Amino acid sequence: MLMELTNEESRVLKDAVDSSLHTLLDEIAHADQREFKEALRQRYDRLAALQRRLEPIVESEQVYA
């Protein structure tokens, strides 16, 4: 699937992902239940993969993500 984004939208999306990753790290550190902690880690891993994909797009200011 392709999604067309403006440069500004790409930057906003990356900022939102960065913020979510930071929040998830805190939630993982404070989670007590193992299953919940694992679910948070999986979400973190998916968002980190998305962050890695967004990084070159935001840096090069392309319009597709």
Side-chain angles (χ1 to χ4, degrees):
M1 168 177 38
L2 290 178
M3 181 187 316
E4 187 174 334
L5 301 172
T6 65
N7 294 341
E8 181 62 22
E9 289 170 334
S10 296
R11 283 190 290 277
V12 168
L13 180 57
K14 185 179 178 306
D15 289 346
V17 170
D18 291 346
S19 177
S20 293
L21 286 171
H22 180 72
T23 301
L24 276 171
L25 282 177
D26 189 50
E27 289 181 25
I28 291 168
H30 292 94
D32 293 330
Q33 293 181 347
R34 195 171 97 189
E35 295 84 14
F36 182 59
K37 191 174 257 196
E38 181 58 31
L40 291 174
R41 282 189 186 122
Q42 289 175 0
R43 182 171 175 82
Y44 181 91
D45 290 344
R46 284 191 291 274
L47 281 172
L50 179 59
Q51 180 191 44
R52 287 188 298 273
R53 291 176 61 194
L54 283 169
E55 190 81 26
I57 294 166
V58 171
E59 289 175 2
S60 69
E61 299 195 359
Q62 293 177 359
V63 293
Y64 292 99

